[in-house]
Amino acid sequence: MLHSANDRAFVATIIESPDDDAPRLIYADWLDEQGEADRAEFIRLQVREARMTADDPELPGVHARAEYLGRIHHVEWASRLPQFNGVHWEVFKRGFFAAARFDHPDQFFGHIAEVGAAAPIQELRLHQFNHPQAPALANTQQLRSIRVLDLNDGNKIANVGTEALMESRYLGRLNVLKLGRNSLGSAGVRAIAMASYARNIKFLRVERNDLFDEGLHYVAESHALVHLSQLDMERTRTGDDGVMTLARTKLLKGLSVLNLSHNQVTDEGLIALAKSPAMTDVLDLFLSGNAITDVGIAALAGSPHLARLERVFLRQNRIGDDGAAALIRSPHLSQLRELHLGENRISDRAGDELRSRFRSRVNLH
């Protein structure tokens, strides 16, 4: 449990102003005075890390030290917080537990108020929620502070539950929505695409739902999902029609990660993406497990709009030596860090030539 009234007062201030680093750093100074040097150092390190750029030469050292302190003290620091069966404190951010996992709706509704009052929780990881519990979830005031709502797997809120959730008054800060494997159809995606606060969503995961082309249509044509940077629609039975709609819209502009693996995309869909000027921001493109042949790969390799690609996943398609040759000759793939081509129809000779061009960046297994 928390140490003292002073301790609780500091934490309450941090919860009230979750984006402000000043209360966290003031608390770290106070912890030093109480002899808790590791806890104080950990808070300062994570606050510092959150402010650093990816290319800062001091980042690896700061991250490693913070990781070490968090690992050796995780159980100790978690034990100071309220303990409930089926409720788990997970993930430190800027020095404090920022994620809570609830194993069952009863545990969530029974303890969310106490959990929200004990730490600056910004991520909820929920399990065993079905659509009947969705309206009560939507009306939970503690959602006001939530940036990440994770209902991936182990839930079945379906279309009705998603529609109820999207009508919540409390999700204005939501940045990440995860609804993979939730028995969603296109109506559920439509509710997301039309939600008033969808403008803040940056990462949308709706993989392993039967959405078909209609689901991608709703996402692509949404006037609200304008700040989306990552879209995961793996195994959603999406085909070329949905992909071509996506290629014609502005949604791609600003999208850095696009996952359409294990769908029904053919050369026609990939050619549409390759021709789209809006694809210039995409860094990670996932298209494994589709029906793409050498024709589509030639379009990808020849597209100046795909020159910024860093990771490309094309496993389990129908790519042969002509596609490999197009990748080898491409003048636009100099930024690639990973190229995955396993389980295609590429000969050993063409594989050797791919390794000569891309070296360890290509994976043919």
Side-chain angles (χ1 to χ4, degrees):
M1 300 299 289
L2 298 176
H3 282 169
S4 66
N6 284 337
D7 197 299
R8 289 192 294 271
F10 278 120
V11 173
T13 301
I14 291 164
I15 291 171
E16 290 172 7
S17 304
D19 297 326
D20 189 353
D21 288 334
R24 297 171 188 250
L25 296 174
I26 292 170
Y27 181 54
D29 292 341
W30 182 79
L31 286 170
D32 262 336
E33 296 172 1
Q34 309 307 307
E36 295 205 37
D38 279 4
R39 183 83 175 98
E41 181 188 4
F42 178 71
I43 293 171
R44 294 190 188 105
L45 284 169
Q46 283 213 318
V47 167
R48 182 183 174 193
E49 182 179 356
R51 296 174 174 178
M52 299 173 88
T53 59
D55 58 353
D56 191 314
E58 296 185 9
L59 178 60
V62 170
H63 177 75
R65 176 61 178 169
E67 282 281 297
Y68 170 75
L69 290 173
R71 185 171 62 253
I72 65 172
H73 290 292
H74 183 103
V75 174
E76 173 195 349
W77 293 339
S79 69
R80 300 179 184 179
L81 298 172
Q83 303 297 308
F84 308 106
N85 288 333
V87 181
H88 311 272
W89 299 97
E90 300 184 342
V91 185
F92 290 107
K93 287 187 179 178
R94 292 164 53 233
F96 292 79
F97 282 104
R101 175 165 57 87
F102 296 83
D103 291 342
H104 191 274
D106 290 346
Q107 289 144 357
F108 173 79
F109 294 120
H111 303 301
I112 183 57
E114 292 160 286
V115 169
I121 297 299
Q122 296 187 328
E123 178 174 351
L124 291 178
R125 300 173 175 180
L126 307 180
H127 295 276
Q128 299 191 56
F129 273 76
N130 295 317
H131 65 85
Q133 290 93 31
L137 174 61
N139 287 321
T140 302
Q141 294 187 22
Q142 284 76 19
L143 294 182
R144 283 196 179 102
S145 64
I146 298 306
R147 307 292 177 84
V148 181
L149 183 57
D150 186 346
L151 284 152
N152 255 30
D153 299 330
N155 301 282
K156 287 187 178 181
I157 68 167
N159 291 336
V160 174
T162 303
E163 290 167 348
L165 190 58
M166 293 304 102
E167 293 176 357
S168 172
R169 296 173 292 167
Y170 303 118
L171 284 173
R173 292 186 173 181
L174 189 65
N175 296 145
V176 178
L177 180 58
K178 301 180 181 182
L179 286 168
R181 207 194 294 260
N182 259 276
S183 299
L184 263 65
S186 60
V189 175
R190 179 179 60 192
I192 298 168
M194 295 176 64
S196 60
Y197 52 77
R199 296 182 67 86
N200 295 327
I201 295 178
K202 297 179 180 179
F203 183 7
L204 178 62
R205 288 188 61 175
V206 288
E207 76 277 13
R208 296 176 182 265
N209 290 295
D210 290 341
L211 307 179
F212 300 96
D213 288 313
E214 191 175 21
L216 187 50
H217 280 299
Y218 286 130
V219 172
E221 295 174 346
S222 171
H223 296 295
L225 291 168
V226 292
H227 296 300
L228 203 62
S229 63
Q230 299 184 48
L231 175 62
D232 187 344
M233 295 190 71
E234 180 181 351
R235 298 183 190 272
T236 54
R237 303 196 181 188
T238 298
D240 290 335
D241 189 51
V243 174
M244 288 189 288
T245 298
L246 178 65
R248 292 193 297 267
T249 65
K250 296 179 180 179
L251 182 80
L252 281 172
K253 196 65 179 173
L255 202 66
S256 61
V257 178
L258 176 60
N259 189 348
L260 294 169
S261 286
H262 299 286
N263 280 303
Q264 298 163 12
V265 183
T266 72
D267 294 331
E268 193 173 9
L270 181 52
I271 291 169
L273 291 175
K275 289 182 177 179
S276 174
M279 283 289 289
T280 53
D281 290 328
V282 175
L283 305 179
D284 295 347
L285 181 60
F286 295 77
L287 286 166
S288 294
N290 282 289
I292 295 166
T293 74
D294 296 339
V295 174
I297 296 305
L300 182 152
S303 173
H305 307 309
L306 302 179
R308 295 183 61 200
L309 284 175
E310 295 181 0
R311 296 198 302 161
V312 180
F313 289 74
L314 290 161
R315 292 172 49 81
Q316 298 175 344
N317 277 283
R318 302 172 186 175
I319 304 165
D321 287 0
D322 288 346
L327 292 168
I328 292 165
R329 295 192 302 267
S330 173
H332 304 301
L333 297 176
S334 59
Q335 302 299 312
L336 273 185
R337 294 186 292 129
E338 296 180 37
L339 175 59
H340 296 262
L341 291 166
E343 298 184 64
N344 277 290
R345 302 170 180 176
I346 298 171
S347 69
D348 290 343
R349 176 187 57 78
D352 289 341
E353 292 174 357
L354 281 164
R355 293 188 186 95
S356 179
R357 163 74 195 271
F358 296 106
R359 301 188 182 278
S360 61
R361 292 171 292 168
V362 67
N363 187 325
L364 297 169
H365 300 291

